[in-house]
Amino acid sequence: MILRKTLKEKKRIVIKVGTSSLTHSETGLMDFIKMEKLVRELTDLHNRGKEVVLVSSGAIAVGRKALGLKERPSALSVKQACASVGQARLMMSYQKFFMEYNQVASQILMTKNTLIHEENRENARNTFETLLSMGVIPIVNENDTISTYEIRFGDNDTLSAIVSALVQADLLILLSDIDGLFTDDPNRNPDAKFIEYVDRIDERFRKMAKGSASDVGTGGMSTKLNAARLATSAGADMIIANGADMGILHRIIDGERIGTMFKANRTDDFYLIDYLDAPVKKQG
Ligand code: GLU
């Protein structure tokens, strides 16, 4: 497909990795082999002349393990404590790997409030621009430790789409534990068909994502479709692909037909604030 070939020309790329792509499913502990491969892929993209932003989850999971909590925390204050411990550890690991490849990386923690106020939004945009112009790879996460609203309403699929819109990326890649979009939940329906390309997100696709009994069953497909709507309206192509092997990143950029591709559909009246959740908006 011709469009896949255009991915090689992308200049500014946002990549999101989920917790499941960074931890071992059996133990919940960090998968350092995967993380190292991710860092190698990102640095190589940068060395190819791309501007790269990473949106990484994992703070709460890493913190939970560090604190020795057996159960997944449900109390907000415990989640926030986990995020506080885990975010620092997560960055320590990222920095160690990036240093091995002589790549400068930075941390940006965002809340929805960062985006609601125009002045804050401009500041954030300027910081991204400056970092990217300096050849830095910013690593973004929600500021879970202080932002109750982020934990309640936020997810990193949405955050990565917001970041794409903010920095006007031309490509967003969501790495997850699923291969892409299916007509139905492939775990439940053996006849579910893989969708390789989405020209425009219409009602048909929204129904597919909602059709599954559990959102988790399709890897949180509803939030991914919302992210796709936001990112493509802001002018970025988006790919959902399986992060089981981080080597998938250069294969995507090289134009291989992997994952589901959503074509950019920039709307003339795109305004980022319209895409932020109403309950959070009221806080502004
Ligand atoms: N910000 C959360 C964390 O780092 C993860 C949110 C998400 O994966 O959607 O633990």
Side-chain angles (χ1 to χ4, degrees), residues 16 18-19 56-61 87 90 141-142 144 154-157:
K16 180 253 168 180
T19 305
S56 176
S57 306
I60 296 174
Q87 181 64 30
L90 195 64
N141 198 358
E142 288 181 320
D144 296 321
D155 65 83
N156 278 4
D157 292 329

Side-chain angles (χ1 to χ4, degrees), residues 70-163:
K70 292 210 168 46
E71 302 300 322
R72 228 185 157 129
S74 52
L76 189 60
S77 61
V78 182
K79 279 189 196 168
Q80 293 185 310
C82 287
S84 178
V85 172
Q87 181 64 30
R89 287 213 172 190
L90 195 64
M91 283 309 298
M92 194 176 67
S93 301
Y94 273 124
Q95 290 292 11
K96 181 177 174 293
F97 287 127
F98 273 116
M99 274 175 75
E100 283 180 19
Y101 294 98
N102 204 23
Q103 172 64 51
V104 181
S106 73
Q107 172 183 263
I108 300 186
L109 298 180
M110 291 171 66
T111 70
K112 281 187 184 166
N113 286 336
T114 316
L115 299 156
I116 289 164
H117 302 289
E118 199 169 341
E119 206 180 310
N120 292 354
R121 195 163 63 239
E122 280 315 306
N123 281 340
R125 187 176 280 139
N126 289 339
T127 306
F128 272 109
E129 287 295 343
T130 306
L131 287 167
L132 292 173
S133 73
M134 290 171 157
V136 176
I137 298 185
I139 304 174
V140 184
N141 198 358
E142 288 181 320
N143 198 349
D144 296 321
T145 298
I146 55 147
S147 174
T148 52
Y149 291 103
E150 264 47 53
I151 286 178
R152 257 187 235 161
F153 301 112
D155 65 83
N156 278 4
D157 292 329
T158 309
L159 176 64
S160 62
I162 287 170
V163 169

